Amino acid sequence: SFKIRKALLREHAEVVLHDPYVNTYSRQEVFKDLETALSGVDVVIIAMRHKYYEENKTRIFRLVKKGTLICDIWNIFGKKKLIYQG
């Protein structure tokens, strides 16, 4: 997941990190609150297979704006697609 972050930063993307188990990474804040992390995002990448995301998948869909692209590497949401709109 942090390799994806590094690649996105090289492309000058604004990257927001969320992880229920990590506080900081390379001097970047890692949000624990989903509402804060997902507020206004255009793309969500689920790069870690945390049980937390499976348990909160309905909440995640409620928090993202309509049309947000979701990249679900682990098929946590059961869509059987790598990328789809939320």
Side-chain angles (χ1 to χ4, degrees), residues 17-75:
L17 301 177
H18 175 273
D19 191 306
Y21 309 110
V22 175
N23 293 322
T24 59
Y25 174 76
S26 186
R27 293 178 287 222
Q28 181 174 348
E29 183 177 9
V30 179
F31 292 101
K32 291 194 177 290
D33 179 57
L34 274 174
E35 288 182 32
T36 303
L38 295 176
S39 177
V41 301
D42 297 315
V43 178
V44 173
I45 300 173
I46 305 292
M48 300 298 292
R49 190 178 183 100
H50 290 318
K51 187 175 182 180
Y52 177 88
Y53 296 127
E54 290 181 38
E55 292 171 348
N56 286 280
K57 59 186 171 185
T58 303
R59 184 170 170 228
I60 292 168
F61 276 112
R62 277 196 333 254
L63 290 171
V64 297
K65 63 187 177 198
K66 186 175 172 84
T68 298
L69 290 178
I70 298 174
C71 178
D72 184 3
I73 295 167
W74 299 100
N75 194 38

